[in-house]
Amino acid sequence: MHRSRIAFLVVSFFQLLSIPSFSQEKFTVSGYVKDGATGEYMMAANVYVIETQKGTTTNGYGFYSITLPKGKYKLKFSFIGYQDLTKDVELNGNTTLNVQLNPDSYQIDEIEVVADGAKENTNSTDMGRVGLDVEKIKTLPAFMGEVDIMKTIQLLPGVQAAGEGNSGFYVRGGGPDQNLILLDEAVVYNASHLFGFFSVFNADAVRNVELYKGSMPANFGGRLASVVEVSMKEGNSKEIKVDGGIGLISSRLTVQGPIKKDTSSFMISGRRTYIDVLMKPFIKESSPFRGTGYYFYDLNAKFNYRFNDKDRLFFSGYFGKDVFDFGNKDAGFGVRIPWGNATATVRWNHLFNSKLFMNVSAIYSKYDFQFAASQDDFEFAIFSGIQDWNGKLDFFYLPNPRHNIKFGAFYTYHTFIPSSATARQGDLEFDTGDRVKLFAHEAAIYFNDDFDLTEEIRISAGLRYSAFNQVGPFKRYVKDPTLGTTIDTIQYSSGESVKLYHGPEPRLSMRYTLNKVSSLKAAYTRNLQFIHLASLSAVSLPTDVWVPSTDRVNPQIGNQYSIGYFRNLKKDAYETSVEVYYKTMQNQVEYREGAQPDDDVKDNPDNNFVFGYGWAYGAEFFLKKRSGKFNGWVGYTLSWTKRRFDDLNSGEWFYAKFDRRNDVSLALVYEPNKKWTFGAVFVYAQGNAITLPYSWYMVQDQVVFEFAPRNSLRMPAYHRLDLSATRKGKETKKFKSSWNFSIYNVYSRLNPYFLYVDISGSPIDGTLTIKAKQVSLFPILPSVTWNFSF
Amino acid sequence: MAPKKTILFLFPLILLVLVACERDVDIEIPGGTRQPAVYGWIEPGAPPIIIFTRAQPYFGSSNFSSFEELFIHNASITVSTDNYSALLFELCSNSIPDSLLPVVGQFLGLDSITLASVNYCVYTSFDANIFGVVGKNYYLNIATTEGEQLSAVTKIPQPVALDSLWFQPERGDTLGFIWARLTDPDTLGNAYRWFAQRQGKDNGFIAPYGSSFDDKFINGTSFNFGVPRGDNDFAPTPEVEGERGYFKVGDTVIAKFCTIDMAHFQFWRSFDTQLASNGNPFAAPAPLRSNITGGLGIWGGYSPSYDTLIITP
């Protein structure tokens, strides 16, 4: 090691030790960073002290705080896509400095001066954390014209799309239930519409998206794989603004503005599809399918009120629903399937002093699914869902520039409706058991300190301790181990504890700076997950049910180790990284082989579960060009995901269905001039693991199948190119508009959606033929959307 | 039948139909088991019947060329009760004069057309001491010449008769389903399987799709259920399009309503699930729930009660 560096290390070490007895007088400069155009608070904006070459970023509520020795300083505020702002500060006492950053829309023609934010890649302790700018997402090609932040997340290394057109995703070998999806702090349990083709997030209502896939900070918990934090727009506090769009399948409208200027503002946004409305005229009155239709809608609303510089209050809510009707009058058959999410959040931000910031939230979240069908006089309905009442308390304590401390507490009261059914035929009510509800308390406390140990080493150390308690009323069906019939029941009374689980979740990540442009990072995280999504099908469906940890189901435990090398190139114009991870997952849940949907009825769903162990490892390569006319990224992931269950696949290990060896994604944006923006997305993914029959035999003159070992076969590879062009319309001071043309699957690749084995004929007369068939969903799909704002 | 599971599978499919595009693909499916498979049953007053075949891999290495090749010959098969054991012999249809095939077919409960068209082999016994008796357990033990050992056990439960049987038109006045009223006994764990045969039209009892159900949802109640007619691909009278699935005015229908044990029921339920889920992307793989140790298939006891319904206008 270089001698001067050693000297520096020694000095830093003493500096660190001497902090408590430091004699020099210190003061704090703190405040909020706002967007100059909309008046919204900006999270993750950079604040940089030029004299000390140190900085911080604003927290999730736009607040920052830096403590410095008495003196004169230049503070530089920056955020990608915004003009830098430098402010002079003279610290003679604690100082409040609120600033506004203006969007950078006039500099697009020249290569941008690179913002200091670029340093975030190599400077932070974060591993596998990515922030996405919604405005950037909007320039990428959109499936059927619907801008979808979840599909953009899928383009990041380590994140896999769940399937064709699907907004569900898998992170580093984790299941779809291992992603914590938060909308203004409220858990969204099913983030998709239309069987996953669209996500519930209306891009017009969203301001910011953050994904954590590696080192999850201690303030998050409850899931093994990732956190997706989506923040709604707060509402423009300066002027009334209307944004909208008309697309092929849906239209959107967002209104935002001040109620009282610079004190309170609101945002309300809606979206609805209209396939059903468009199709209606084409279905004849006499058609047996009259009454068949599908639509979904979303409503987002937010309101905020600023009492003074120290207190702010936010209300936000989301409500979305899918409704699917199918009827065939001739067959006397009808189905109605509504499902949807609702969330509500109330938040109070309070600033005790320039070093201590508090957020208190009360949150409600609900997801429910219904399936009602009738055939003649036979009626059948299934209900499932989950509902949470949640309270959160978070403190941000910034004692000096070296430390960034978070601590807090979290509590949720869960109500689960795993799967209840009613069935009747004429007068006869079938005995489908009680409408089951399950109840549980979940709580956690956490502490996290992000601090500089030396100039080179920064550490983020955290501990979360969480607990989960299933309580009655609860009825346990005791099963015969061989036949699976109920032989006894155990009844727990209301409030009686059924099972308590608790445990620590340590989190540690560190950065070692190699030089000005590169660093090494390492992280370890341990996560507990108390609720589980049990899926019977090969894809994620609204029918999948959330179930709590019970006396039979243990919490999932995840341990992840990762190391990475981060380097910026060409004066920080390019960010690159390589991350390697190894992950173990205990107590993974699957349905036993051959389980069927109605097994859950009049039973505990977990009686049909089997439990096992999972592990995943891989490497992720990422290259991103941050700015300029030509920007975007390319990611490559090499990974393995395996599982072993005593009761599945004869106890042999098998690949998870989303195991994928090679995965490439490319997202590019080209802005040649002010009028046009072009986008391109390319994805390549090696085929998913599947289970198919591999031999046949005869039962009752019928050919039946024997299946190959679980997930031992592979689908053909998936690849696709999408292109888009956005043309800005004539701009006036009051009115802006743009046309977005997108082409999905440009070369019309018939990608596998699923495979099955088709049999026809009979071996008896020698006509038997067996063929593997592939079903593909979307060929080339052009779309056009007109967006406007005034 | 009790809750109609098929509709659960329907709803995603409907959407797919609107957009999906299908084609044949060549994918390598390596391996493929050649495990022995049992399709065997026993009924009161009748001999045990075992159809013993070998599963065939269907891609790559498959060398299957004719139906006859499926049968496993020269196996040592015994069926035993708690105090009696009988060694079964192998009987193949090409060793029986054609004129006797209908008689043998009826006796064995096999359709005589199939028996005549190919060399169909079964293992059975004419030892009346091993004919089925209500309430008894029947143990099956098999050793193949290749050294495989298979075993299974089934029970012939107490029969439960239907309360009544009637015809209900579904399509016009002449085509419809048969409806039955059943009173399920108080004890939980009863399971049933339905067969029907149209006299002069079908050459055996046919179970329609969804022919089995248990009393999980209907324990101890009296209720009505409707059944369609099962497919009959080898019927002496060819199927009239448009009448598939329906009984017709003028038919004389013999209903064979059987109680079966739980493991036997779970096999038929998984059998129906496999038929329904093949080609459905939203369904998980549906392997059959066999009660055979060391092989595939089912060894099941039936306890039938019979009713005859003459369908009049």
Side-chain angles (χ1 to χ4, degrees), chain A residues 660-678:
Chain A
R660 195 175 290 168
R661 199 71 58 251
N662 295 291
D663 194 296
V664 178
S665 39
L666 183 75
L668 292 176
V669 174
Y670 177 55
E671 296 159 298
N673 52 48
K674 277 187 207 169
K675 205 166 189 179
W676 286 95
T677 308
F678 299 97

Side-chain angles (χ1 to χ4, degrees), chain B:
Chain B
M1 314 273 74
K4 288 183 180 161
K5 291 161 220 151
T6 40
I7 52 182
L8 265 179
F9 292 110
L10 262 170
F11 89 99
L13 280 178
I14 295 155
L15 266 159
L16 276 178
V17 167
L18 300 173
V19 284
C21 138
E22 190 181 285
R23 61 171 182 161
D24 297 351
V25 285
D26 292 318
I27 52 163
E28 271 302 302
I29 299 188
T33 174
R34 285 182 50 78
Q35 271 189 284
V38 172
Y39 171 42
W41 66 93
I42 186 162
E43 294 180 11
I49 310 285
I50 313 288
I51 297 161
F52 193 39
T53 57
R54 197 169 280 288
Q56 303 294 316
Y58 55 79
F59 288 116
S61 61
S62 172
N63 53 5
F64 166 77
S65 59
S66 72
F67 183 66
E68 276 85 358
E69 279 181 27
L70 296 178
F71 293 97
I72 301 176
H73 303 290
N74 305 318
S76 160
I77 302 186
T78 57
V79 172
S80 323
T81 61
D82 290 319
N83 46 30
Y84 190 80
S85 188
L87 183 67
L88 273 51
F89 69 91
E90 194 177 358
L91 177 67
C92 291
S93 57
N94 65 2
S95 63
I96 304 168
D98 277 2
S99 58
L100 281 178
L101 280 177
V103 183
V104 176
Q106 196 66 41
F107 182 67
L108 299 177
L110 293 170
D111 102 60
S112 54
I113 306 291
T114 308
L115 288 181
S117 62
V118 289
N119 188 26
Y120 202 102
C121 298
V122 301
Y123 289 84
T124 188
S125 168
F126 294 142
D127 178 353
N129 292 316
I130 201 66
F131 285 14
V133 173
V134 168
K136 277 196 177 172
N137 286 325
Y138 289 87
Y139 302 90
L140 174 70
N141 283 289
I142 303 180
T144 67
T145 53
E146 293 179 32
E148 294 142 314
Q149 301 278 339
L150 293 83
S151 64
V153 59
T154 190
K155 185 179 182 174
I156 300 181
Q158 294 296 325
V160 175
L162 294 167
D163 301 344
S164 55
L165 209 60
W166 66 96
F167 174 77
Q168 196 165 300
E170 287 283 333
R171 194 162 174 182
D173 295 333
T174 56
L175 296 174
F177 298 154
I178 290 181
W179 281 73
R181 185 166 185 83
L182 171 69
T183 301
D184 178 70
D186 251 349
T187 50
L188 195 64
N190 296 294
Y192 306 96
R193 190 155 193 242
W194 159 282
F195 299 84
Q197 178 176 16
R198 294 171 301 168
Q199 272 194 327
K201 284 185 170 178
D202 301 327
N203 46 45
F205 285 98
I206 300 166
Y209 172 78
S211 62
S212 351
F213 59 99
D214 70 342
D215 62 355
K216 183 176 171 186
F217 304 114
I218 42 98
N219 184 38
T221 60
S222 294
F223 69 104
N224 303 336
F225 63 92
V227 276
R229 180 167 64 79
D231 264 0
N232 182 14
D233 289 331
F234 298 96
T237 48
E239 194 67 72
V240 179
E241 271 321 311
E243 294 186 4
R244 196 178 275 274
Y246 296 108
F247 294 97
K248 196 177 180 181
V249 168
D251 288 347
T252 298
V253 181
I254 304 166
K256 175 179 173 185
F257 185 69
C258 304
T259 53
I260 55 180
D261 72 18
M262 219 44 180
H264 193 186
F265 161 68
Q266 277 160 352
F267 174 83
W268 290 114
R269 195 164 88 116
S270 67
F271 177 86
D272 283 340
T273 305
Q274 186 175 100
L275 293 188
S277 65
N278 189 41
N280 176 357
F282 299 99
L288 299 189
R289 280 181 82 171
S290 174
N291 68 347
I292 311 284
T293 308
L296 310 169
I298 182 68
W299 166 236
Y302 287 110
S303 190
S305 42
Y306 295 91
D307 286 285
T308 303
L309 177 71
I310 299 166
I311 303 175
T312 49

